Amino acid sequence: MPQKPREKTSFRVTVPEEYLPRIDEVVEEDKYAGRSEFVMHLVRDYINERDRQKSLRLEYKIIEEKKKLKKL
């Protein structure tokens, strides 16, 4: 079953002018619909990676606590 499109909102992003040629290059080479789609994917990937890192830290903490308990 196809997913219902998520509602989107907009906000302004300011970047140094010298980044624009590289951003446009990535947009074109990776076939993004435009800069907005590119930025949307960057934000999504960053949030997903941040969540993954948090989960790993928590998992590591749990493992370390279990090791401490075994030593008691």
Side-chain angles (χ1 to χ4, degrees):
M1 174 178 254
Q3 278 189 335
K4 183 178 174 183
R6 294 182 182 154
E7 194 171 320
K8 297 176 185 173
T9 189
S10 65
F11 64 96
R12 184 179 167 126
V13 177
T14 304
V15 298
E17 192 172 334
E18 66 263 19
Y19 289 8
L20 285 181
R22 289 295 316 242
I23 291 169
D24 291 339
E25 180 182 310
V26 172
V27 167
E28 185 177 326
E29 287 178 3
D30 292 357
K31 310 269 190 268
Y32 288 104
R35 292 175 183 164
S36 291
E37 184 184 5
F38 171 63
V39 171
M40 188 170 50
H41 282 116
L42 285 177
V43 170
R44 180 203 61 205
D45 291 349
Y46 176 82
I47 289 170
N48 289 340
E49 179 61 20
R50 190 169 184 267
D51 290 346
R52 189 183 75 80
Q53 291 289 330
K54 279 183 174 181
S55 294
L56 287 173
R57 282 193 295 275
L58 179 59
E59 194 173 325
Y60 178 79
K61 186 176 179 180
I62 291 168
I63 290 169
E64 290 300 309
E65 289 297 321
K66 285 182 178 180
K67 284 180 183 178
K68 285 180 187 176
L69 288 174
K70 282 185 179 181
K71 288 181 180 180
L72 295 179

